[in-house]
Amino acid sequence: MVKIAFLLLLVGLGWAAADLGDVTGLEHSGAYLLLSSLLLAVGLYGSTHGIDRTEARQHGKLILLAVTVGVLLKAAFIAGVMYLVTGDPRAMILAIAVAQIDPLSVAAVMADNRLSSRAKTILGAWSSFDDPVTVILAFYAVSLSRPAEGGLTLSYLADLGLNALFAAAAYGVWRLIRNAPPLLSYLAAAAAIVSAAWSSLMLGVATAGLYLRMPDSRWLARAVTAAFALSAFLMGLLLVGGASLMKGFLLGLAAFAAQMLAALVLTHGLPVADRVHLGLAQQNGITAVILAVAFEREFAGFVGVIAPAIVTVNLIYVVANRVADRWGPLGPARPLPSSPQ
């Protein structure tokens, strides 16, 4: 509930600032585009930075299925619901924007004992890896939505190659500085984030987060929290034109239902309690907020749908998990942890 209140406060402050200052057309400025790219790069680097590679390898097959088949399944389900009910041509882009699980919100759950150790590892890696997957899907889905510009051409395949080169270069830098003074690690990480934002190589910076790590991750946690706060404020600035509350509610409801469907399909063999809590794990945070901010430039009114969807998802998460905790086979009720955001 703390995260929801924080989000609403920041969005409200942004909306008030835009209304009082008569701010319009912000999404069409070059500075806005660069800032939104920088915020996204920070969020993606932060999502993969904390992954425990050893634990992730133990459940690699399930995690791989979750961030490939699971993401596609969730996006297709959400998009289908949105298009059938509303006929909105942006249905697929909207679906991908909320298909991921917020890793920072999941981090707060890790201290709780509602999940087994195995399920915590799966959920932590799932939420971290599906961030870059959904971001890349979102950007390519936007490209495919412009048939006049050629759809998926060699330029997009070349972009994947550039991301691979970026990741390889970051790996090479890490090999050179891994035994150097800590300051070099901080500088290398900052350089990777800024250069990825400038060049829009988001898959590359997300991959770099797996090995190009800061000695003290508290600085990164502060940077990610600041990025979330700023992106939520920007979202408020863009909401001055109004919000589509019913579409947002439907999108949030569909996103939560999609996680339940994906977990049901992918977690066969886990204990019932783990399957239920993985199914009720959908939360949206910094990635959905930043994607909303980034795509407002392409699709007018995008923020007006995503903002209420994020609030809807997180409210359903709180209520659904409280109910599940009171269901006998899943154990006694326990207080839900609050995200630090």
Side-chain angles (χ1 to χ4, degrees):
M1 292 299 289
V2 172
K3 183 182 73 171
I4 301 173
F6 187 47
L7 174 65
L8 291 174
L9 173 63
L10 292 169
V11 170
L13 288 173
W15 179 88
D19 189 50
L20 293 173
D22 195 26
V23 177
T24 57
L26 176 66
E27 67 273 18
H28 300 297
S29 70
Y32 167 90
L33 179 61
L34 181 59
L35 179 58
S36 61
S37 295
L38 180 60
L39 293 172
L40 187 56
V42 170
L44 286 175
Y45 178 81
S47 71
T48 56
H49 183 277
I51 293 175
D52 187 315
R53 289 168 295 190
T54 301
E55 289 188 346
R57 279 195 292 267
Q58 293 176 1
H59 308 290
K61 182 178 179 181
L62 177 55
I63 292 166
L64 179 62
L65 287 172
V67 301
T68 53
V69 176
V71 168
L72 291 173
L73 177 65
K74 288 172 67 175
F77 177 85
I78 299 166
V81 171
M82 288 298 294
Y83 189 77
L84 286 174
V85 176
T86 69
D88 193 327
R90 305 168 300 176
M92 181 54 73
I93 312 297
L94 289 166
I96 294 173
V98 297
Q100 89 292 135
I101 306 171
D102 178 40
L104 296 182
S105 299
V106 165
V109 180
M110 294 305 171
D112 186 61
N113 61 355
R114 62 160 50 90
L115 288 173
S116 69
S117 159
R118 180 184 182 190
K120 286 179 182 179
T121 299
I122 292 168
L123 181 56
W126 184 346
S127 64
S128 296
F129 280 118
D130 74 354
D131 259 28
V133 170
T134 52
V135 167
I136 299 306
L137 277 177
F139 277 100
Y140 283 105
V142 170
S143 300
L144 288 169
S145 71
R146 307 179 189 133
E149 297 182 15
L152 184 61
T153 64
L154 289 178
S155 64
Y156 303 118
L157 298 178
D159 185 64
L160 287 176
L162 289 174
N163 274 283
L165 286 175
F166 182 97
Y171 181 77
V173 169
W174 171 74
R175 294 279 297 182
L176 289 173
I177 67 170
R178 58 180 174 169
N179 296 318
L183 177 61
L184 287 180
S185 296
Y186 292 115
L187 291 175
I193 291 170
V194 172
S195 56
W198 179 75
S199 58
S200 297
L201 297 176
M202 297 303 169
L203 181 58
V205 75
T207 305
L210 293 171
Y211 42 80
L212 186 58
R213 302 201 167 182
M214 298 182 180
D216 187 346
S217 61
R218 288 177 296 180
W219 289 101
L220 178 60
R222 294 183 187 117
V224 172
T225 299
F228 174 78
L230 182 53
S231 57
F233 183 79
L234 284 174
M235 177 181 275
L237 290 176
L238 299 173
L239 271 176
V240 71
S244 302
L245 296 179
M246 292 309 297
K247 275 189 181 181
F249 174 75
L250 177 64
L251 180 61
L253 195 62
F256 203 87
Q259 173 63 23
M260 296 175 67
L261 175 63
L264 179 66
V265 172
L266 297 173
T267 61
H268 180 72
L270 292 181
V272 172
D274 283 346
R275 297 188 74 188
V276 170
H277 282 304
L278 287 171
L280 301 179
Q282 181 68 29
Q283 296 183 79
N284 286 132
I286 184 170
T287 303
V289 171
I290 298 175
L291 284 176
V293 169
F295 288 150
E296 181 70 19
R297 184 184 178 97
E298 301 283 343
F299 306 102
F302 199 82
V303 163
V305 180
I306 296 294
I310 293 172
V311 174
T312 297
V313 166
N314 291 329
L315 284 174
I316 295 175
Y317 167 82
V318 172
V319 173
N321 279 277
R322 287 195 186 281
V323 172
D325 282 344
R326 285 168 172 77
W327 182 34
L330 300 184
R334 307 178 187 97
L336 281 174
S338 297
S339 169
Q341 294 186 64

